[in-house]
Amino acid sequence: MLDKALIQKLRESKSIVVFTGAGISAESGVPTFRDAQTGLWANFKAEELATRAAFRKNPKMVWEWYAMRRAMILDVKPNAGHYAIAEMEKRRDVLLVTQNVDSLHSVAGSKSVLELHGNIFRTKCFMNNEIIDSWSDEEIPPRCPNCGSHLRPDVVWFGEDLSDGAISKTEEAIDRCDIFITIGTSGLVYPAAELPFYARKAGAFTIEINTEPTPFSDYASCSLRGKSGEILPQFLSAM
Ligand code: OAD
């Protein structure tokens, strides 16, 4: 149950920035990054596979890790949390900023989505970052049809910069919003992890939804402990 003050805030809100991490997709069956990996990948940490150095050292292994994750995502559906955010967009001015690369927000119907860390279903050239739509599957990883370099997923790896303007666009939306909701993120990966703190400084009412405490919990105007798929539908009812 949400408390009365929170219900009032949600009811009065006009402009909302929603910021999501892997936790929003957990109830769909997508493992979070801090979950231990299973099967073939049990001995690896995500942080060890999602780097340019890992790809240079073993491009086949990294490509296959992403292929496994793409296949797993194609097998799951958005959950009540994704759908609640998509519905929110019909009632309020919402910018959804996600660290997830799984597309589940778009599948659920969200239109105004900024994918901070890219999209696992897009592919680009390792050498010059050009987005590539078709290639021959003779080799793993496949080769860029234009320059012959390896292809890689269009996601942001550790040590790489976010796409141009992604953070400033988010900060501009935060400057205008009255509520900032951070959902299912451990808040350990920068620069994304700074956004809740930026929102607090900018004067937004900050709400956190997470099953566990995070470094932001003590700073949030309201920190809710629980599953996003259960809490977000209550937010909609309050609106
Ligand atoms: P993490 O795996 O670090 O954190 C997931 C968070 O979701 C944790 O804080 C969990 O407590 C919480 N959680 C789990 N189930 C939940 C549920 N049902 N409802 C609400 N919260 C739940 O994932 P991120 O914070 O998204 O970056 O990770 C950030 C970035 O690190 C990722 O985008 C990725 C990763 O390495 C790159 O690949 C660049």
Side-chain angles (χ1 to χ4, degrees), residues 22 24-32 35 72-73 76-77 79 82 104:
I24 185 95
S25 296
E27 289 157 82
S28 292
V30 183
T32 68
D35 282 343
M72 180 181 62
I73 293 162
V76 304
K77 294 190 174 67
N79 64 59
H82 296 105
L104 289 177

Side-chain angles (χ1 to χ4, degrees), residues 44-235:
F44 298 93
K45 285 192 182 143
E47 293 89 329
E48 291 163 0
L49 293 163
T51 68
R52 285 184 76 83
F55 188 78
R56 276 212 181 88
K57 193 167 160 206
N58 198 337
K60 183 167 185 285
M61 181 173 82
V62 174
W63 179 269
E64 286 180 339
W65 182 59
Y66 280 98
M68 175 278 290
R69 290 177 55 206
R70 273 194 296 271
M72 180 181 62
I73 293 162
L74 284 173
D75 232 26
V76 304
K77 294 190 174 67
N79 64 59
H82 296 105
Y83 286 117
I85 296 169
E87 180 60 31
M88 223 178 255
E89 203 182 285
K90 296 181 188 156
R91 306 183 189 185
R92 299 288 188 279
D93 170 24
V94 172
L95 175 68
L96 169 56
V97 181
T98 187
Q99 297 168 86
N100 299 346
V101 296
D102 60 22
S103 287
L104 289 177
H105 284 300
S106 301
V107 176
S110 282
K111 301 272 184 275
S112 178
V113 188
L114 200 162
E115 291 173 319
L116 275 186
H117 291 165
N119 188 305
I120 198 169
F121 294 105
R122 256 192 335 257
T123 298
K124 66 180 182 180
C125 174
F126 181 72
M127 222 29 119
N128 56 33
N129 287 326
E130 188 188 350
I131 301 294
I132 301 293
D133 294 321
S134 61
W135 54 83
S136 148
D137 275 330
E138 276 161 35
E139 240 184 288
I140 299 176
R143 297 275 175 181
C144 173
N146 301 332
C147 74
S149 307
H150 281 132
L151 295 181
R152 56 164 281 187
D154 184 23
V155 298
V156 177
W157 281 336
F158 289 94
E160 292 185 319
D161 292 335
L162 303 191
S163 67
D164 275 354
I167 290 289
S168 57
K169 190 172 172 203
T170 304
E171 288 178 349
E172 280 162 25
I174 291 174
D175 290 340
R176 287 193 312 271
C177 79
D178 35 42
I179 294 187
F180 177 92
I181 312 174
T182 173
I183 305 164
T185 175
S186 56
L188 298 175
V189 175
Y190 286 81
E194 277 161 14
L195 292 171
F197 293 93
Y198 181 88
R200 183 192 143 107
K201 247 196 240 154
F205 186 82
T206 53
I207 305 171
E208 176 181 66
I209 302 174
N210 200 305
T211 46
E212 305 286 336
T214 75
F216 185 64
S217 301
D218 287 342
Y219 299 89
S221 315
C222 170
S223 185
L224 302 172
R225 216 45 76 237
K227 294 183 175 176
S228 44
E230 292 169 7
I231 295 175
L232 284 166
Q234 297 177 43
F235 276 30

